């Protein structure tokens, strides 16, 4: 008999459904939550929070137009929560590949020292900023943002673990391997304290990526295999696709072709889901498909990998950051060897 309580119950179920990649259920329960919150006329910010969750769900289903409409509809509910709106907008821009605009959008939260910006908003704003800078391969600014986050109030073990891992990657890319090692120890400490499986998957995904770019293949494999077990258990498509591709790379480097082909085949099933998959990992998926199974489609797959690589270079934009991108994870090799007119 209480609209606020009904709204809150559906709100919590919606949030859980988003966390567990149950996006259709998230849309259903989110709309129910909004229905009850609208009746009590007191839950404007809660409605905006739900709309942010629903936008993320639609983006993960590759329904970007619907996702944009949900973000913009936040303005229809009274006083706009700038943190919710800009975070939702930046997240959507990053997922759609508009990294530069995403960075500028989240900067309205992170690049201000006004007392009006709550420390919770700044913490999670920096968490999102780190992920955008990672996509841009801007390792210098990534290091600055990571330091700011780890020096803040600790609000999420997963965010702290990822910040320390990215800080380690930043140090390594700038030639300081000892500092990288120290920060990986901190990242592992926080990762071990994550009790939520879904937060743990995200942290382990970042840890295995950062360990990989630093050349620590044993640690990479350990984190990736743990993340894979959790990701497959919960059907977390986006991060699980990444760790499968990382395992393809690790076993390819070790000369274990059959194991690499096994993980590549596992990754192939994710393309049939229709869900959004990480752009950089899709490049690698098609590239390794061309070299691990040199069938009649090898040239076609190599060409597709090269075209996707050119798209990603355009998204990254600057010459310096494109160079950093090409220095990672065989991307430079793909750029050279998979161009039109070359044999895979």
């Amino acid at each position: 008999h209480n609209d606020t309580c009904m709204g809150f119950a559906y709100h919590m179920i919606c949030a859980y459904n988003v966390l567990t990649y149950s996006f259709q259920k998230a849309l259903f329960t989110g709309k129910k939550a909004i229905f009850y919150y609208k009746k009590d006329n007191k839950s404007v910010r809660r409605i905006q929070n739900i709309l942010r969750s629903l936008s993320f769900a639609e983006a993960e289903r590759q329904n970007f137009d619907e996702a944009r409409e949900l973000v913009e509809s936040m303005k229809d509910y009274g006083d706009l929560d700038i943190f919710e709106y800009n975070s939702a907008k930046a997240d959507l821009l990053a997922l759609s590949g508009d990294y530069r605009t995403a960075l500028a959008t989240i900067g309205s939260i992170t690049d201000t020292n006004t007392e009006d910006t709550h420390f919770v908003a700044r913490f999670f704003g920096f968490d999102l900023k780190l992920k955008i800078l990672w996509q841009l391969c801007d390792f210098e600014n990534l290091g600055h943002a990571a330091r700011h986050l780890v020096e803040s109030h600790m609000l999420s073990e997963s965010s702290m673990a990822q910040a320390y891992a990215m800080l380690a990657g930043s140090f390594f890319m700038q030639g300081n391997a000892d500092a990288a090692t120290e920060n990986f120890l901190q990242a592992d400490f926080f990762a071990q304290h994550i009790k939520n499986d879904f937060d743990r998957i995200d942290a382990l995904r970042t840890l295995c990526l950062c360990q990989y770019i630093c050349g620590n293949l044993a640690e990479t494999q350990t984190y990736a295999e743990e993340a894979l077990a959790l990701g497959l258990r919960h059907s977390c498509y986006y991060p699980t696709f990444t760790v499968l591709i990382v395992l393809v790379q690790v076993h390819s480097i070790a000369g274990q072709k059959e194991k690499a082909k096994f993980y590549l085949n596992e990754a192939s099933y994710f393309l049939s889901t229709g869900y959004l998959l990480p752009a950089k990992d899709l490049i690698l998926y098609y590239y390794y498909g061309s070299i691990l199974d040199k069938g009649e489609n090898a040239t076609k797959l190599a060409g597709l990998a090269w075209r996707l690589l050119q798209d990603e270079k355009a998204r990254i934009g600057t010459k310096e950051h494109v160079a950093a991108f090409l220095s990672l994870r065989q991307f430079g090799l793909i750029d050279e060897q998979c161009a039109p007119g070359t044999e895979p």
Side-chain angles (χ1 to χ4, degrees):
H1 300 288
N2 186 302
D3 292 327
T4 303
C5 289
M6 287 291 287
F8 182 75
Y10 277 113
H11 189 169
M12 293 299 99
I13 298 169
C14 172
Y16 179 77
N17 285 331
V18 170
L19 196 65
T20 60
Y21 286 71
S22 304
F23 299 125
Q24 187 60 49
K25 292 180 181 178
L27 291 164
F28 174 77
T29 51
K31 290 174 182 177
K32 292 280 283 184
I34 291 172
F35 170 78
Y36 283 107
Y37 277 154
K38 285 170 71 175
K39 290 174 71 176
D40 75 2
N41 295 316
K42 296 181 295 185
S43 302
V44 170
R45 291 200 170 186
R46 290 176 180 176
I47 290 174
Q48 292 172 9
N49 178 259
I50 294 168
L51 289 168
R52 179 184 177 185
S53 296
L54 298 186
S55 171
F56 177 81
E58 288 287 29
E60 288 287 334
R61 284 153 43 106
Q62 302 200 73
N63 297 329
F64 288 105
D65 289 339
E66 290 85 347
R68 290 185 192 96
E69 289 176 8
L70 286 163
V71 172
E72 294 306 317
S73 71
M74 290 183 182
K75 298 174 181 177
D76 299 335
Y77 296 94
D79 293 334
L80 186 65
D81 185 323
I82 296 300
F83 169 69
E84 288 286 1
Y85 176 72
N86 282 348
S87 295
K89 191 173 180 179
D91 207 6
L92 177 57
L93 288 164
L95 288 171
S96 63
D98 192 351
Y99 308 138
R100 294 285 167 189
T101 310
L103 185 63
T105 301
I106 201 62
S108 64
I109 298 168
T110 60
D111 300 347
T112 176
N113 294 317
T114 62
E115 294 181 0
D116 295 335
T117 306
H118 195 274
F119 74 88
V120 175
R122 285 180 63 78
F123 181 90
F124 288 107
F126 268 103
D127 181 51
L128 180 52
K129 183 175 183 176
L130 279 175
K131 292 167 183 173
I132 298 167
L133 289 167
W134 176 267
Q135 294 296 338
L136 287 166
C137 301
D138 184 350
F139 289 101
E140 182 177 355
N141 285 314
L142 180 73
H144 296 322
R147 287 188 197 93
H148 191 101
L149 191 144
V150 300
E151 293 168 0
S152 304
H153 297 80
M154 202 288 290
L155 299 176
S156 163
E157 288 87 354
S158 180
S159 295
M160 293 292 280
Q162 293 179 75
Y164 273 114
M166 290 184 189
L167 185 55
S170 174
F171 274 124
F172 183 85
M173 292 299 291
Q174 295 177 74
N176 192 338
D178 290 340
T181 300
E182 292 174 9
N183 281 280
F184 274 132
L185 292 173
Q186 291 291 332
D188 186 74
F189 171 82
F190 281 102
Q192 298 308 319
H193 286 77
I194 302 169
K195 296 179 174 62
N196 179 306
D197 277 0
F198 305 100
D199 288 343
R200 188 165 179 78
I201 292 166
D202 284 339
L204 292 170
R205 172 183 183 263
T206 300
L207 271 162
C208 78
L209 280 171
C210 292
Q211 290 281 10
Y212 183 87
I213 69 168
C214 295
N216 303 323
L217 297 186
E219 292 84 353
T220 299
Q221 184 173 345
T222 298
Y223 289 125
E225 288 176 347
E226 184 180 353
L228 179 60
L230 293 172
L232 291 175
R233 181 189 305 167
H234 296 294
S235 298
C236 298
Y237 308 102
Y238 193 92
T240 307
F241 188 77
T242 296
V243 298
L244 282 167
I245 298 303
V246 169
L247 287 168
V248 170
Q249 294 193 277
V250 167
H251 289 294
S252 293
I253 291 170
Q256 299 167 335
K257 183 179 178 181
E258 291 306 311
K259 288 185 177 181
K261 288 174 68 174
F262 169 78
Y263 287 115
L264 189 70
N265 184 61
E266 287 292 303
S268 71
Y269 292 100
F270 287 68
L271 275 71
S272 66
T273 64
Y275 289 124
L276 182 70
L277 297 173
K280 292 178 175 64
D281 297 303
L282 276 171
I283 297 168
L284 295 165
Y285 170 80
Y286 289 115
Y287 169 67
Y288 281 98
S290 75
I291 64 171
L292 288 173
D293 189 7
K294 289 183 176 291
E296 59 184 18
N297 290 324
T299 301
K300 181 180 177 181
L301 292 173
L304 181 53
W306 186 83
R307 288 192 296 274
L308 291 174
L309 182 76
Q310 305 317 303
D311 291 342
E312 192 66 8
K313 285 164 63 178
R315 295 185 192 108
I316 292 169
T318 68
K319 185 176 180 180
E320 175 188 359
H321 299 146
V322 167
F325 166 58
L326 293 176
S327 73
L328 305 172
R329 302 183 67 193
Q330 307 296 315
F331 290 121
L333 194 64
I334 297 169
D335 200 32
E336 294 174 1
Q337 295 187 355
C338 297
T342 60
E343 290 293 328

